[in-house]
Amino acid sequence: MSTKRAFITDDYPELGKGPVPVEPYISPEYYEREKEHIFKKTWLEVGRVEEIPNAGDYMVKDLACADASIIVVRNKKGQINAMHNVCSHRVNQIAYEKCGTTRKFSCKFHGWAFDLDGNLTGVPEEECFFDLDKSANGLARVACEIWQGFIFINMQPEPAQSLEDFLKPMFGSIEGYPFEKLTSGFSWVSEVECNWKLALDAFQEAYHVAYIHGLSIADAVEKDENGAMPPLGALCGEYHRRLSLSGNQKSVYGNPKAMTEGGAAFEEALVEASKSKPISAAALRGAVGSAMHDFPIEALPEGMNWTKSPNWLFDINVVFPDLYLSLRPNYFQCYTFRPTAYNRTRVECRVFYPEMTTAGGRFFVEYMKVALRDVLLEDMSTVERTQKAAETGAKRFMFLQDNEVLVRHNYHAVERMLERNAAQAAAE
Amino acid sequence: MNMIATSQADHPVNVQLPDAFQALQAYVGVWALATETERNIQRHRQSMPSIIAFKDAMMAQIDELLVFVNRKPLAEIDEVETTLLKLLLSLAEIAPTVECYNQQEVVYGFDPRRFVAEEDFSLKPVY
C-alpha cells in the first residue's frame, strides 16, 4: 500500500478506518432511538427569517421525526416563537395551512383563541368551565433560536445547550456570510423511500462526481493528475462536519463568482464554456453586472475556503443531524434530510441567489438553478435503489475511502449522540 | 375558480414579438411558460428535434436578445419582454438536454415529477 499521500482520516483516529455497519440505515428500532435521543433533543433547522417577515406571519412544520407539528410565528415585537400546533382544550390542531398571516390563532373546533406568543386569550363560554386558569394553558412552547437568519427549534423547551453553543465550535468561523444579500430562493420537496442518513450521505463526498455527474457537472470540479477529485480538506467535530472542494475555473458552473466579479474570472469561465456549453456562456454574458449586490471574495468569512485555495469552489457544511449548507461565493444551498419513517425521508432542497436587476441576470440564475436541480436528480437516482439493496441484508458493511470521511463521521456522530442522550435519560 | 377560462386568458400565443425576433414567434405558444413546473413538463413532452430547433433559433440571436431584454430594469419589463424572458427561462430548462444528456430526461435520473418545485415558495422571485 502506498503511504506517500497523507490521509485526511489520519487526523481523526477515533473514527477508525474499518468497515461501517449498514444496520443503522435499515433498522426500525435504530430509527426509534434516533427519534427519542436525537430528533426530540437537538436543534432542527425549519426555515429562514425572511419567510416570516411581518408580525403575524407563520409557518407550520410537520416533524414526523419528532412526532410533532410546530407553528413558527413572528410576534408583534418582531421575535420568532415556536409552539406545538395543539389546542389546550381538546387537543385539536390549530393551524391547518402550511403558512399564513394571522392576528391570532383560533381553534376551529370550539373557538379557543391564542395570541402570537401562544397565550390563551379567549375561551367561549368561559363561565361554564371549572377553575380554568388561562395563564397556565397557552400553547405548549418549544425552544426557538436564530443563527445567521436560520430558524432552529428544539423540542426541549429548555435545551441543554443553546443554539450558539451547539454551532459555534464548528461554524463560528463562517458567520458573516452574506445570507441577507441572497434573497431569491427556490425550493423543491420530495418524499423519498430511503433512510435519512443514506440521502444525506449522497451529499457528503465528491468521490461519486465523476460517475453520477459524469454527463453534467463533472467538468466543473477540479481533477488531479490521476483524474480523481480529492477535497481540499475535511473537518470533523463532535457532531458537525465540513468538506472543501475546488472547481474548474474555466467552466461557468465551476466558477460562479465570474458572474459578480466580471473581469479576469469572467474571461476564464468562458474559456471552455464558449465551445462546450454555449448556452452557459451566453447566460454568463447576459448576466455580468446584473446582481443586486457585490460579493467580494476577500469579504467572505475567514472559515470559508479554510485551505485558502485559489480554485476553491465551495464548502459543504453539515449541521448535525440533517442540515446540508453549501456556501458559494455568491449563492448558497440549504437542504434538509428529515426522516418520516426508518426508510422514508422528506427531502427539502433550497437554493438562494442574489436578486438580479435584469432579465439576462434572471436567465443566468435559471440556468444555474436548472443545472443544480438536474444534478440533484442525478444524486437522488441511487438512494431508493441503495435502500432496497441494503434491506436485503446481503451486505452488512460498507467500505469507505479517505475522501468519504464525512460518511464515516456521520455514523460515529449519530452513535455518539444516541449513546450520550440514552445514558443521560437512564440517569434521570 | 374557472381553470379553463384562466388558462385561456393567460395563453401566451397572443403576444406579438418585435420584428427583430420574428423567427421566435412560432415558439411562443410552446415555450413562453410562467413556471418551472410547466417548463419541465414541456421539456419531457417535446421531441429532441423540436427542442434542438428551439435551441438553435434562440442561440442564433442570443446576444441580440439579451441586449434587448436587458435595456430595462427587470422590475419594469413589459409584456413583450416578459414573453422573451419566459423563452429564455425555457432555454435554461432545456440546456441540460442538449449540453449533457442528448435526451429530454436526466440520464438515470430520479423521477422529476416526484421532485416538486414549490411554486408558492414565499422567497421565489416574481421574475
Side-chain angles (χ1 to χ4, degrees), chain A residues 187 357 360 367 369 381 384, chain B residues 36 70 74 99 108 114 118:
Chain A
S187 176
T357 58
Y367 176 87
K369 179 193 55 145
S381 67
E384 291 185 333
Chain B
E36 176 184 330
N70 281 348
L74 183 55
E99 287 183 339
Y108 290 126
R114 294 177 58 202
E118 286 200 277

Side-chain angles (χ1 to χ4, degrees), chain A residues 45-52 59 74 80 145-152 163 177 179-180 332, chain B residues 123:
Chain A
E45 188 265 355
V46 292
R48 292 276 319 164
V49 293
E50 295 89 356
E51 294 181 68
I52 45 171
M59 46 192 181
R74 193 178 292 269
I80 296 177
E145 291 179 14
I146 316 291
W147 176 79
Q148 302 289 289
F150 291 94
I151 305 169
F152 285 77
L163 179 64
Y177 175 85
F179 292 106
E180 75 290 347
F332 75 94
Chain B
L123 302 180

Side-chain angles (χ1 to χ4, degrees), chain A residues 379-419:
Chain A
D379 284 311
M380 300 306 290
S381 67
T382 58
V383 294
E384 291 185 333
R385 300 171 188 277
T386 306
Q387 184 71 26
K388 280 210 186 70
E391 292 196 26
T392 64
K395 295 285 182 178
R396 299 192 182 279
F397 289 92
M398 309 187 295
F399 294 84
L400 304 178
Q401 60 130 308
D402 189 46
N403 297 329
E404 294 174 302
V405 64
L406 263 59
V407 175
R408 182 183 299 280
H409 180 262
N410 193 27
Y411 164 69
H412 285 275
V414 169
E415 284 277 289
R416 175 179 291 136
M417 188 170 276
L418 285 178
E419 201 181 296

Side-chain angles (χ1 to χ4, degrees), chain A residues 48 50-51 98 183-193 215-216 277-280 282 285-286 347 349-350 352 356-363 366-367 369-370 373-374 376-378 380-381 384, chain B residues 36 39-40 43 55 59 62-63 66 69-70 72-75 77 85 88-89 91-96 98-101 106-112 114-118 120-125 127:
Chain A
R48 292 276 319 164
E50 295 89 356
E51 294 181 68
K98 75 173 181 181
T183 51
S184 285
F186 300 91
S187 176
W188 300 274
V189 181
S190 189
E191 300 285 337
V192 183
E193 304 291 326
L215 295 177
S216 57
K277 289 190 170 161
I279 301 174
S280 77
R285 286 195 304 274
V347 176
C349 294
R350 295 174 163 187
F352 292 83
M356 305 303 273
T357 58
T358 64
R362 179 64 186 85
F363 168 49
E366 192 74 8
Y367 176 87
K369 179 193 55 145
V370 169
R373 182 204 68 210
D374 282 2
L376 290 171
L377 293 178
E378 291 173 333
M380 300 306 290
S381 67
E384 291 185 333
Chain B
E36 176 184 330
R39 294 187 291 266
N40 187 258
R43 162 177 158 178
K55 181 264 295 178
M59 291 306 284
I62 191 69
D63 285 317
L66 289 167
V69 297
N70 281 348
K72 281 192 215 148
L74 183 55
I77 58 174
L85 173 56
L88 284 168
L89 299 183
L91 179 62
E93 175 62 49
I94 60 96
V98 297
E99 287 183 339
C100 307
Y101 307 120
V106 173
V107 171
Y108 290 126
F110 190 77
D111 184 349
R114 294 177 58 202
F115 201 74
V116 180
E118 286 200 277
D120 58 354
F121 181 42
S122 65
L123 302 180
K124 205 179 69 149
Y127 273 121

Side-chain angles (χ1 to χ4, degrees), chain A residues 4-5 18 21 43 51 58 61-62 65 117 152 168 178-179 194 212-213 241 249 263 267 283 311 335 351 353 397 404:
Chain A
K4 271 187 292 206
R5 194 177 166 260
W43 291 99
E51 294 181 68
Y58 70 91
K61 310 306 291 190
D62 288 321
C65 58
D117 295 298
F152 285 77
K168 218 157 179 90
F179 292 106
C194 71
I212 290 289
H213 307 308
R241 61 201 78 104
Q249 303 302 298
E267 296 302 331
N311 291 345
Y335 310 157
V351 59
Y353 299 99
F397 289 92
E404 294 174 302

Side-chain angles (χ1 to χ4, degrees), chain A residues 267-309:
Chain A
E267 296 302 331
E268 196 176 11
L270 292 179
V271 166
E272 290 174 3
S274 299
K275 284 203 244 355
S276 61
K277 289 190 170 161
I279 301 174
S280 77
L284 179 58
R285 286 195 304 274
V288 128
S290 174
M292 186 75 93
H293 303 286
D294 291 327
F295 296 87
I297 286 275
E298 60 276 6
L300 292 175
E302 185 58 30
M304 286 180 67
N305 185 18
W306 70 87
T307 67
K308 303 299 172 209
S309 164

